Amino acid sequence: GCGDGGGETGEGGDGEVLTIGIANEQPYGYMDDAGNATGFAPDVAREVLSNLGYGEPEFEVVEFGNLIGGLQAQQFDMVAAGMYINEERLAQIQFSDPDYCTTESLAVPEGNPEDIVDYSTFADNSDLTIAVASGTVEVGYAEEAGVGEDQIKSFPGIDQMYQALEAGEVDAVTGTAATVNGQIAGRDGLEAVEPFFPKDVEGNETLPCGGYGFRLDDTEFRDEFNEELNKLREDGTTMEIITSYEGFEDADVELANDLTVADFEE
Amino acid sequence: MTQTTAHSEPVVEEFRPHRRWFQRPDVLTPLILTSVGFALLIGAVSVPANYRTEMDAPPGDVSFDWMFFFHMVPLMVQGVLVLAKATVLGFTVAIVLGFAMALGRRTKLRWVSWPSALVIEFIRSTPLLVQLFFWQALFRSVEGISLTPVEILTLGLGIHYATYCSEAYRAGINSVDKGQWEAATALNLGPVTKWTRVIIPQAVPNVLPALGNYLVAAFKDAPLGVAVNVHGLLFFADQVRAETFRATEPYLLAGVGFLLVSLPAAWLVRQLEKRISYERV
Amino acid sequence: MESWLLTGSQYMLLLRGALVTLQILGLAFVVGIVLSLVVGIARLSERTWIRGVALGFVEFARGISSIILLFIVAIAIPILLGVPQENLILLATLALGINMGGYGAEIIRGAIQSVPKGQAEASISLNLTSLQRLRHVILPQAMTVILPPMGNLTIEILKGTALVSLIGLTDVMQMARNIRQQQLADAVGNLPILYLNVLVLYFILAQVINLIFRLAERLMEKRYEGGPALTTEELERMRPTSAEGTVS
Amino acid sequence: MSVSETATPGQISEKGAAGVRMRDVTKAFGSNVVLRDLDLDVAPGERVVIIGPSGSGKTTILRATMTLERIDSGTIEVGGRHLYHELHGNKLRPARESHIREVRSDIGMVFQHFNLFPHMTALENIMLAPIKVHGKPREAARDAGMALLEQVGLAHAANQTPGQLSGGQKQRVAIARSLACEPKVMLFDEVTSALDPELVGEVLNVLRDIAEEGRTTMMLVTHEMGFAREMADRVLMFDGGQVIESGAPADVLGNPQHDRTKAFLGAVKAH
Amino acid sequence: MSVSETATPGQISEKGAAGVRMRDVTKAFGSNVVLRDLDLDVAPGERVVIIGPSGSGKTTILRATMTLERIDSGTIEVGGRHLYHELHGNKLRPARESHIREVRSDIGMVFQHFNLFPHMTALENIMLAPIKVHGKPREAARDAGMALLEQVGLAHAANQTPGQLSGGQKQRVAIARSLACEPKVMLFDEVTSALDPELVGEVLNVLRDIAEEGRTTMMLVTHEMGFAREMADRVLMFDGGQVIESGAPADVLGNPQHDRTKAFLGAVKAH
Ligand SMILES: Nc1ncnc2c1ncn2[C@@H]1O[C@H](COP(=O)(O)OP(=O)(O)OP(=O)(O)O)[C@@H](O)[C@H]1O
Ligand SMILES: Nc1ncnc2c1ncn2[C@@H]1O[C@H](COP(=O)(O)OP(=O)(O)OP(=O)(O)O)[C@@H](O)[C@H]1O
Ligand SMILES: [Mg+2]
Ligand SMILES: [Mg+2]
């Protein structure tokens, strides 16, 4: 059950139960043993919503590519998947301020046989292939770094990419450092390259920071959520929650705390 | 046939064997044409790495855009061709494997027929989608086997539809009149002659339409390949959606592309059925 | 090779997904049956245009792939029309129901045609309306012909429900993928075994459907056999109760 | 209910029987003209037996009266009301379905092949129309149904389905079923010819009983000449879709005038 | 080929006919015992007609001889060789399939419903077994086939499929087909009962022709008593799975001793 198309008002939740979409991706959002949503993004969203007086939200676990469509189609009221804020997405949905930033990394077979460093390795060697999950920012990162179209293999979900890497079908898998570290911890025979900030062809670094997604017509709710989120950013709650998950450093959260969503709008 | 000289009677006619369905041009021509089409499909279609629209749709605006719609047609055709290729390959597997399954189920050896029946029933009543995931996971967990997504879809479709084909074979064989088996025994025909000259020729006309229908059905299931990353029709639509955040045009186009293939195919199968049905009188 | 079984809590999760699967199956079945009846009967209408529309529906529903229909009905059309996709289950149900309706309509049509013409004529001569004719005379008799293929069709729809995982519903299939992510966190798990368990779960569900339809068939057969011969007094005593469910 | 503007045949008798009047009735299947400008009057309460060679249109005329087969032209009146037409002022217009249904409620028919509903017991077969069509309360319908079953001697079989009954029993249930609607005209189409010879008698007895009550008009097609002679008020000889001879049973059957009738009766006897 | 160790019935006559000898043959379908300890001897070249009421096991005994129906116990010998058993020293063991196939090549059967192969022409039907089973060259098989078709009067229909032939023609082709294997024992199971009466004659004529050539042993089940009387060497009356009367046609058919036979013949005549 959820609001009637942007009907959530600023006066707090009155125990209303919202539906939140999360991606099936460690450590941002996934499902634990008991079937409850877990990961730092759901945790933060829970905290914010309970402070606002909403009831314990319901979570829908979907593949990453279904998040924006589901939000737009009102399948859920917000997205809590650590989704990176970027221009293309801002045209479709609106974001809260970021609560974490992270570096990018690549998962490669153990020993890194192809000596992969970052996307530029692929731009230089057209024999190598790289896995991206469709709908993620990494698709754009890779293209902007000059990686050839034939080298980029699209997959519908995170798990599929790693399986392909394990099976030797691709040479590397893209992802945030946190995801990459989380995934290689659960699998054998993989390692992560040194984390890096992605660069476009001109060599400019981009800011990979993630926040919470809302429908474009849901501004009131977003503002309400954002206000509470900022309180938690200031009193260190987000820091506590996020760094309790493996793969995140204090610096990641601190960097985000200095930014607002406006910094991502040109 | 050579002219007979041994008999002097004028009544002796030239021996003209009856032209069966596989000797008739009106049945054969479409079959050969289709086969050539299939061969071209298998040989010439390559799997594209990506489906990129050159045209960006206006952001935030969800109203239907015809320009955008038509712009994607070439991409959609690519996606359909990839699926058609996987379907044809997969169905080839199904036809052969299905025959083995049908024989396995028919045999009098209980320890063969019983497990065969169970396996057929199991595969038939579980979703192809889960089967595809299963085959992918299974083959990835085996050392030294590396299958492309299209190969997995081919295999998955093949095994899934083999069970349907086996049922069609069984029905076809059972539809041959009991008297035909008895006549074959009374003429002391060996098992090979009995099957190849008496039973199978009579079963085929009953089986072909069913197989044709299953071929169409297999094509309808082929988009599921997207789950194992086959770059087919649904992958095309998904990718366009992920990149342009527009869902309406690509999915509707996928539907149109589908009907453009499956409706004529179903019609062709019905024609084939009509043509061959005359054999049954 | 590790154990063929999953852990207890993983089975609980799968069962929770199975509830969603069954919910979708049930709703789709209802939609499918209603569509089958309406379209199947419309296929036999005296009016050409009704027959034409019904035929168009059948060809469309059977010609299009159920997965693509699902994406169109559950995603493309709601977005196009601005309908809230809030209740994705209902939309998914609608797509699967349309698919089932296309095949079911042909089953119903064939079954109605299989009822001897004399039955319709007898009910006309008793002056039943065409609706009463269908309800009390034709459909009950068509039932024996309808049930077996309908059972198979229902299993096909059960298989079809697995597709809803691709549009973002948490059914058995999606639950399996969720478990997969969770297994990764625990650094355990064997993927083929996980999917094999899911397959077995579907197989069991299919067998239950099979069983239900077999039972229904058995009940129909019993109905045709009729009750035992009774004396008038016995008849008088039992009539008021036993007649209720059968004629009305 | 409107009362016919003409005399005898179309009228309703005081006792609840209705007459039948046909004028210029024509019916063809493709190029095969089965009824040809047929005129036929049956008075209320009259019992008419129709005989004639196979294919002469006997079944067709009954089916047309039961509205199972639409006629191509001409009119049929039952109980003074047009069956296929409605009167608008002085003009006849094709009837709407609701009008046909209303007039049809005066007519009952028993078929050669019984056409009982196999999924209902004998009693349920009989109760169906009174409850569903005439809105009778269930109790009343059941009592009436049991009474009818008793009348045809099958009270003990009330609870059996047609599958458990012999042909003769089936036909008796079918007769009871059509009586349950209290029709004013009853049509019987060779109701004994699908029966084994030893079962014919029981059905004819039931027909005799009904005829003795004498209320309803009856049109019977039969090959049982003895039975026809015994109970018909009038015998009609059909051939080529027309009545070629008509009269008292003793005349038509005993002393036929027409050659076709003679030939036909000769053939029936030889059989 | 081994030659039987016993005298007449099991033997092969000099002209290529074989005898049949059955001992204690029993066959049941479920609890229904169809053949009961049956003993039956047919001499080489003999023509035996089997008559009896429906369900008495006539078809079953022919089918058992053709190995279409396995017997439960007892032995059958054809041309001196055991059909269902092999001799190991002095012991009878159940036969392997290859042995059955070998003995079966002496037996031919014509069915009530023809069982022609509908996807082959008449000539192809006849040529199949000689080519595939006996390894005859195609040319020779074709000439022999044409000769047989001529013998049954159907040379002109050689290239027609069964669908284009009348029932009588089909049965004549079926007879030719089974003759093509040059069997030593021929079994005919009511070969005329599926035919329209006017077609029966042509088939019986063909049977007469074959009988006149006189080489093969024949076992015929038929209801054509005139035919039986004319061409049988011996008539066997079956009832309850046993031979209850046996003898020359004139005796059994003209002057039956057994009550069952009298009743049966009475019924057949009345029919
Ligand atoms: N539905 C139909 N379609 C085409 N022709 C029909 C149809 N019903 C009846 N006929 C034809 O109409 C003619 C009259 O049929 P009808 O059944 O009325 O004859 P009948 O007098 O009842 O004969 P019988 O004694 O054989 O029952 C026959 O030639 C029959 O073939
Ligand atoms: N395959 C079978 N399964 C069960 N019972 C059978 C089978 N074949 C024959 N029977 C039974 O065996 C009995 C003898 O059958 P058979 O066909 O030999 O009789 P028949 O003398 O040829 O009779 P008819 O004159 O009717 O052909 C019958 O009671 C029949 O029901
Ligand atoms: Mg008639
Ligand atoms: Mg027989």
Side-chain angles (χ1 to χ4, degrees), chain D:
Chain D
M1 293 181 200
S2 72
V3 172
S4 148
E5 59 278 60
T6 55
T8 10
Q11 253 169 3
I12 304 185
S13 82
E14 68 292 350
K15 288 177 77 180
V20 177
R21 172 210 291 262
M22 303 185 189
R23 285 291 173 273
D24 286 332
V25 172
T26 299
K27 169 77 191 173
F29 293 105
S31 62
N32 177 12
V33 183
V34 177
L35 301 179
R36 203 182 296 267
D37 296 329
L38 182 74
D39 290 345
L40 181 60
D41 291 306
V42 181
E46 194 181 20
R47 295 190 291 267
V48 173
V49 165
I50 300 172
I51 61 173
S54 179
S56 58
K58 308 181 295 294
T59 296
T60 305
I61 194 65
L62 295 195
R63 287 171 58 84
T65 312
M66 189 69 257
T67 67
L68 295 174
E69 212 84 75
R70 295 289 140 109
I71 57 177
D72 299 333
S73 65
T75 60
I76 301 182
E77 282 169 72
V78 173
R81 290 183 297 175
H82 277 286
L83 186 56
Y84 287 110
H85 300 87
E86 282 178 282
L87 267 180
H88 287 261
N90 256 344
K91 282 212 163 143
L92 283 182
R93 300 244 184 93
R96 284 157 307 158
E97 187 59 31
S98 60
H99 174 86
I100 294 182
R101 272 204 79 205
E102 200 190 314
V103 182
R104 188 158 61 198
S105 71
D106 285 350
I107 315 167
M109 180 160 181
V110 182
F111 300 87
Q112 181 173 2
H113 291 105
F114 334 130
N115 295 348
L116 286 182
F117 304 135
H119 58 299
M120 300 181 183
T121 63
L123 186 55
E124 285 166 349
N125 260 284
I126 297 174
M127 287 160 62
L128 181 68
I131 294 175
K132 295 293 165 189
V133 180
H134 304 281
K136 241 189 193 176
R138 172 170 292 277
E139 293 291 301
R142 198 187 63 229
D143 294 344
M146 280 309 296
L148 278 168
L149 277 177
E150 227 148 318
Q151 189 182 344
V152 298
L154 284 172
H156 62 279
N159 224 4
Q160 285 174 303
T161 49
Q164 299 167 310
L165 300 176
S166 74
Q169 290 176 320
K170 276 186 214 162
Q171 196 57 295
R172 281 145 68 194
V173 173
I175 293 171
R177 178 176 72 173
S178 88
L179 285 176
C181 300
E182 297 175 4
K184 299 182 176 129
V185 178
M186 288 279 286
L187 312 172
F188 298 87
D189 187 17
E190 301 197 26
V191 291
T192 58
S193 24
L195 301 178
D196 290 343
E198 69 266 30
L199 303 176
V200 169
E202 61 190 54
V203 172
L204 293 185
N205 282 336
V206 168
L207 287 186
R208 261 182 218 107
D209 282 356
I210 300 170
E212 259 159 42
E213 295 201 5
R215 283 177 313 139
T216 41
T217 311
M218 288 167 80
M219 291 171 71
L220 300 98
V221 173
T222 183
H223 288 307
E224 302 286 332
M225 293 305 159
F227 178 71
R229 189 187 293 260
E230 166 194 342
M231 66 167 280
D233 292 327
R234 186 152 54 107
V235 171
L236 301 179
M237 170 70 192
F238 255 59
D239 193 32
Q242 289 197 302
V243 179
I244 58 168
E245 195 161 352
S246 154
D251 294 342
V252 178
L253 302 179
N255 183 23
Q257 301 302 307
H258 207 289
D259 284 349
R260 298 280 306 157
T261 317
K262 284 177 199 159
F264 173 73
L265 291 174
V268 170
K269 256 175 219 132
H271 191 74

Side-chain angles (χ1 to χ4, degrees), chain C residues 18-50:
Chain C
L19 279 186
V20 175
T21 292
L22 285 180
Q23 193 183 349
I24 294 170
L25 175 66
L27 286 170
F29 183 77
V30 172
V31 174
I33 288 288
V34 170
L35 275 176
S36 301
L37 276 174
V38 171
V39 178
I41 290 165
R43 288 272 275 131
L44 297 167
S45 165
E46 281 162 21
R47 298 214 182 100
T48 329
W49 69 269
I50 294 185

Side-chain angles (χ1 to χ4, degrees), chain E residues 9 34 44 47 79 114 119-120 126 141 156 179 204 208 216 220:
Chain E
V34 177
R47 295 190 291 268
F114 333 130
H119 56 297
M120 301 180 183
I126 298 174
H156 61 280
L179 286 176
L204 294 185
R208 264 183 215 106
T216 41
L220 298 100

Side-chain angles (χ1 to χ4, degrees), chain A residues 19-31 36-50 56-60 64 67 78-84 95-100 178-179 209-214 225 229 232 237-246 248 253:
Chain A
T19 309
I20 299 179
I22 64 176
N24 200 20
E25 178 181 8
Q26 271 201 73
Y28 298 97
Y30 59 102
M31 199 187 59
N36 299 318
T38 183
F40 84 77
D43 286 354
V44 171
R46 263 196 205 103
E47 190 70 22
V48 172
L49 291 179
S50 88
E56 167 70 18
E58 283 175 6
F59 290 91
E60 295 262 6
F64 192 87
L67 282 171
M78 62 174 288
V79 166
M83 187 183 274
Y84 281 178
F95 280 90
S96 71
D97 292 334
D99 62 346
Y100 81 102
T179 304
C209 301
Y212 300 81
F214 305 86
F225 187 95
L229 178 67
L232 297 184
T237 314
T238 56
M239 172 80 76
E240 195 182 316
I241 295 176
I242 294 172
T243 53
S244 74
Y245 285 90
E246 219 170 303
F248 294 99
V253 184

Side-chain angles (χ1 to χ4, degrees), chain A:
Chain A
C2 48
D4 33 301
E8 296 86 15
T9 51
E11 281 89 57
D14 303 332
E16 192 188 348
V17 173
L18 299 183
T19 309
I20 299 179
I22 64 176
N24 200 20
E25 178 181 8
Q26 271 201 73
Y28 298 97
Y30 59 102
M31 199 187 59
D32 72 9
D33 249 0
N36 299 318
T38 183
F40 84 77
D43 286 354
V44 171
R46 263 196 205 103
E47 190 70 22
V48 172
L49 291 179
S50 88
N51 289 353
L52 287 173
Y54 287 93
E56 167 70 18
E58 283 175 6
F59 290 91
E60 295 262 6
V61 185
V62 302
E63 297 305 304
F64 192 87
N66 279 324
L67 282 171
I68 291 184
L71 180 66
Q72 286 176 326
Q74 303 179 25
Q75 189 192 347
F76 8 87
D77 301 304
M78 62 174 288
V79 166
M83 187 183 274
Y84 281 178
I85 307 169
N86 70 9
E87 255 180 276
E88 290 84 40
R89 285 175 183 161
L90 281 167
Q92 303 295 327
I93 59 175
Q94 50 180 340
F95 280 90
S96 71
D97 292 334
D99 62 346
Y100 81 102
C101 295
T102 180
T103 43
E104 283 286 303
S105 184
L106 295 170
V108 292
E110 221 161 29
N112 198 356
E114 304 288 347
D115 289 328
I116 291 165
V117 180
D118 59 9
Y119 294 116
S120 63
T121 316
F122 296 88
D124 297 342
N125 183 353
S126 60
D127 289 340
L128 301 181
T129 55
I130 186 167
V132 297
S134 56
T136 60
V137 290
E138 281 83 10
V139 187
Y141 291 164
E143 280 175 358
E144 279 162 25
V147 182
E149 253 193 41
D150 294 349
Q151 292 170 263
I152 304 175
K153 303 268 182 217
S154 289
F155 288 85
I158 309 288
D159 191 30
Q160 281 93 329
M161 293 195 294
Y162 283 89
Q163 288 185 39
L165 179 63
E166 286 171 327
E169 291 162 21
V170 293
D171 296 304
V173 170
T174 60
T176 67
T179 304
V180 171
N181 284 323
Q183 292 285 334
I184 62 173
R187 301 174 191 264
D188 296 332
L190 301 181
E191 68 175 50
V193 303
E194 238 355 78
F196 57 90
F197 283 105
K199 299 189 188 87
D200 62 19
V201 264
E202 282 106 56
N204 305 319
E205 285 185 356
T206 52
L207 274 178
C209 301
Y212 300 81
F214 305 86
R215 269 189 297 280
L216 283 175
D217 60 1
D218 230 4
T219 315
E220 244 174 304
F221 177 43
R222 199 226 40 167
D223 294 347
E224 183 191 8
F225 187 95
N226 203 27
E227 206 172 301
E228 185 61 31
L229 178 67
N230 270 304
K231 282 186 207 158
L232 297 184
R233 292 207 306 185
E234 276 155 35
D235 68 13
T237 314
T238 56
M239 172 80 76
E240 195 182 316
I241 295 176
I242 294 172
T243 53
S244 74
Y245 285 90
E246 219 170 303
F248 294 99
E249 307 296 330
D250 288 4
D252 296 335
V253 184
E254 279 158 13
L255 178 55
N257 285 351
D258 294 337
L259 296 169
T260 68
V261 66
D263 294 325
F264 295 85
E265 293 162 359
E266 221 90 336

Side-chain angles (χ1 to χ4, degrees), chain E residues 2-270:
Chain E
S2 71
V3 172
S4 149
E5 60 277 61
T6 54
T8 9
Q11 254 171 359
I12 304 184
S13 84
E14 68 294 350
K15 287 177 78 182
V20 177
R21 172 209 292 261
M22 304 187 189
R23 287 291 173 273
D24 287 331
V25 171
T26 299
K27 168 76 190 172
F29 293 106
S31 62
N32 176 13
V33 184
V34 177
L35 301 178
R36 201 183 298 267
D37 296 330
L38 182 75
D39 291 344
L40 181 60
D41 291 306
V42 180
E46 193 181 21
R47 295 190 291 268
V48 174
V49 165
I50 299 173
I51 61 173
S54 180
S56 57
K58 308 182 296 294
T59 295
T60 305
I61 194 65
L62 294 195
R63 288 171 57 83
T65 311
M66 189 70 256
T67 68
L68 296 173
E69 212 86 73
R70 296 290 142 109
I71 57 177
D72 299 333
S73 65
T75 60
I76 300 182
E77 283 168 71
V78 173
R81 290 183 296 175
H82 277 287
L83 186 56
Y84 288 110
H85 301 86
E86 282 178 280
L87 267 180
H88 286 261
N90 255 344
K91 282 214 163 142
L92 282 182
R93 300 245 182 95
R96 284 159 306 158
E97 188 59 31
S98 60
H99 173 86
I100 293 182
R101 270 205 80 198
E102 199 191 316
V103 182
R104 188 159 59 197
S105 70
D106 286 350
I107 316 167
M109 180 160 180
V110 182
F111 300 89
Q112 182 173 358
H113 292 105
F114 333 130
N115 295 348
L116 288 180
F117 303 134
H119 56 297
M120 301 180 183
T121 63
L123 187 53
E124 284 171 330
N125 259 286
I126 298 174
M127 287 161 61
L128 182 66
I131 294 174
K132 295 290 171 186
V133 181
H134 304 280
K136 243 189 191 174
R138 175 169 278 276
E139 292 290 301
R142 198 186 64 225
D143 295 344
M146 280 310 298
L148 278 166
L149 275 176
E150 226 152 317
Q151 188 180 344
V152 299
L154 284 172
H156 61 280
N159 286 330
Q160 285 174 303
T161 51
Q164 301 165 310
L165 300 176
S166 75
Q169 290 175 321
K170 277 187 215 162
Q171 195 59 294
R172 281 144 68 195
V173 173
I175 294 172
R177 179 176 71 172
S178 91
L179 286 176
C181 299
E182 296 174 7
K184 298 182 177 132
V185 178
M186 288 279 285
L187 312 173
F188 298 88
D189 186 17
E190 301 197 26
V191 290
T192 58
S193 22
L195 301 178
D196 290 342
E198 69 267 30
L199 303 176
V200 170
E202 62 191 54
V203 174
L204 294 185
N205 282 335
V206 168
L207 288 186
R208 264 183 215 106
D209 281 356
I210 299 170
E212 259 160 41
E213 294 202 4
R215 283 177 312 141
T216 41
T217 311
M218 289 167 80
M219 292 172 70
L220 298 100
V221 172
T222 183
H223 288 307
E224 302 285 333
M225 291 306 158
F227 179 71
R229 189 187 292 258
E230 164 193 344
M231 67 165 278
D233 292 328
R234 186 153 54 108
V235 172
L236 302 179
M237 169 73 191
F238 255 59
D239 195 30
Q242 288 197 302
V243 179
I244 58 169
E245 193 160 354
S246 155
D251 295 341
V252 177
L253 300 179
N255 185 21
Q257 300 302 309
H258 207 287
D259 284 349
R260 298 278 308 155
T261 316
K262 282 178 200 159
F264 173 73
L265 290 174
V268 171
K269 253 174 220 135

